[in-house]
Amino acid sequence: KWTDMIQDGDLRLGSVIRVNGRIKEGYRGLELTAEKIKLIRQDSGFEVKDTLIKDISDGMDAISVKGRILEIGDVRVFSRKNGTTGKVGTIMIGDITGKIRVTLWDDRALDIESLAVGNSVRISNAYAKKRYNVVELYVGSHGQIEPIDEDVPYEEKITPIRDIRPDGFYNVIGDLIGIEPVHEFMRKDGSQGRVVKIRIVDATGKINVSLWNEHVDFTKELDLGQTIKITDAFAKVGFNNEIDLSVGWRSNLELLKK
């Protein structure tokens, strides 16, 4: 059986095989259900090619990527429609070209417990898709995440305000020059939301920043003239055709100087 070939180490990365089976539509496209596998040869020169984060796009599959862990979220247990329970957790990784959020499912989510911020990891056999118009990585039962003895370089890029363009995520540092009153509103599902608009300035320009929901509480510790760092804010065209930043669920705020 081919499962025995895997356990015995005969079937591994680089193996050249002939497969007979049935093709069907799967969760992420066509899948082949193997009925017979024959090992042709071992390719000793085979190496997994890692993808740079900037080159990951929606719909890619079988992705291998190396990155430094920047954030680690909690593992959450959820119930599926069939009555079974599952587990899901997220991390953020970065390399010299950018960063990306990674969602890990079930057994892979448990791997988070052995990881720490600053560790370098390799993720194998992941797939990419958009969530809220942002490409993310997903690692399921066929994927793998493992620590590596390598210092993957990463540096948070700070964008000058004058260089911000619509429909992208940006990191900025600026001095606070304005805070408007908090606005509360009702969502379509009946829950209550909050938003507050602030204005910051750097050496290149000024920009309005909207803080949503839990980020509103950040303004309680702010005074005019303080310097703040905003990461992963989304730029869009606001009123009067000015570019605004939106601080939402994937954004972070940090007070740098009082």
Side-chain angles (χ1 to χ4, degrees):
K1 292 182 179 181
W2 63 271
T3 51
D4 294 332
M5 295 171 66
I6 295 176
Q7 292 175 351
D8 294 341
D10 296 327
L11 193 63
R12 58 184 184 271
L13 291 177
S15 299
V16 180
I17 59 176
R18 177 180 289 117
V19 182
N20 295 326
R22 294 176 290 108
I23 296 177
K24 63 178 182 179
E25 188 69 33
Y27 179 68
R28 303 199 308 274
L30 294 179
E31 293 182 354
L32 176 62
T33 300
E35 297 174 347
K36 185 178 180 181
I37 293 181
K38 181 180 179 180
L39 178 64
I40 305 300
R41 67 176 186 274
Q42 301 288 2
D43 187 351
S44 59
F46 176 82
E47 292 184 7
V48 176
K49 183 178 180 181
D50 293 314
T51 303
L52 295 173
I53 288 175
K54 72 176 180 64
D55 295 329
I56 296 173
S57 59
D58 183 30
M60 288 178 63
D61 208 341
I63 300 167
S64 177
V65 61
K66 293 187 295 186
R68 180 187 298 179
I69 298 178
L70 309 177
E71 301 174 18
I72 298 179
D74 295 328
V75 176
R76 179 174 60 87
V77 178
F78 64 93
S79 297
R80 298 187 177 93
K81 293 181 180 180
N82 62 6
T84 62
T85 59
K87 300 179 181 67
V88 62
T90 60
I91 63 173
M92 182 79 79
I93 65 169
D95 66 12
I96 195 65
T97 69
K99 62 183 177 181
I100 193 167
R101 188 173 299 275
V102 184
T103 298
L104 302 108
W105 298 97
D106 297 321
D107 289 344
R108 297 289 73 78
L110 298 179
D111 293 337
I112 290 178
E113 298 175 358
S114 62
L115 304 176
V117 172
N119 287 166
S120 292
V121 295
R122 170 178 277 117
I123 296 171
S124 306
N125 205 25
Y127 61 97
K129 65 178 183 178
K130 282 188 175 181
R131 178 173 181 247
Y132 299 120
N133 208 35
V134 180
V135 175
E136 298 187 351
L137 273 182
Y138 294 82
V139 183
S141 58
H142 299 296
Q144 187 176 5
I145 180 169
E146 56 184 349
I148 57 175
D149 187 19
E150 181 178 342
D151 185 16
V152 178
Y154 173 77
E155 183 177 350
E156 198 85 70
K157 180 183 177 182
I158 303 298
T159 301
I161 289 176
R162 70 181 175 194
D163 294 338
I164 293 174
R165 301 292 182 266
D167 301 323
F169 285 89
Y170 293 92
N171 307 318
V172 296
I173 293 176
D175 296 330
L176 183 68
I177 58 173
I179 306 178
E180 295 186 4
V182 175
H183 171 65
E184 296 183 347
F185 60 93
M186 196 70 68
R187 300 188 182 93
K188 292 182 179 180
D189 63 2
S191 61
Q192 190 176 57
R194 296 181 298 158
V195 62
V196 63
K197 183 174 289 187
I198 65 174
R199 191 166 178 82
I200 62 172
V201 62
D202 68 7
T204 69
K206 304 174 183 178
I207 195 166
N208 290 324
V209 184
S210 296
L211 313 184
W212 295 90
N213 301 313
E214 70 273 8
H215 292 301
V216 170
D217 295 331
F218 182 74
T219 59
K220 294 179 180 178
E221 55 183 288
L222 292 182
D223 288 315
L224 297 182
Q226 292 180 325
T227 303
I228 59 177
K229 178 181 179 182
I230 304 172
T231 56
D232 291 328
F234 186 72
K236 59 183 180 180
V237 177
F239 293 109
N240 300 322
N241 287 323
E242 292 184 355
I243 298 177
D244 294 345
L245 289 177
S246 180
V247 175
W249 63 274
R250 65 169 284 169
S251 310
N252 285 300
L253 297 160
E254 181 182 355
L255 182 60
L256 297 182
K257 186 173 65 177
K258 296 184 178 180

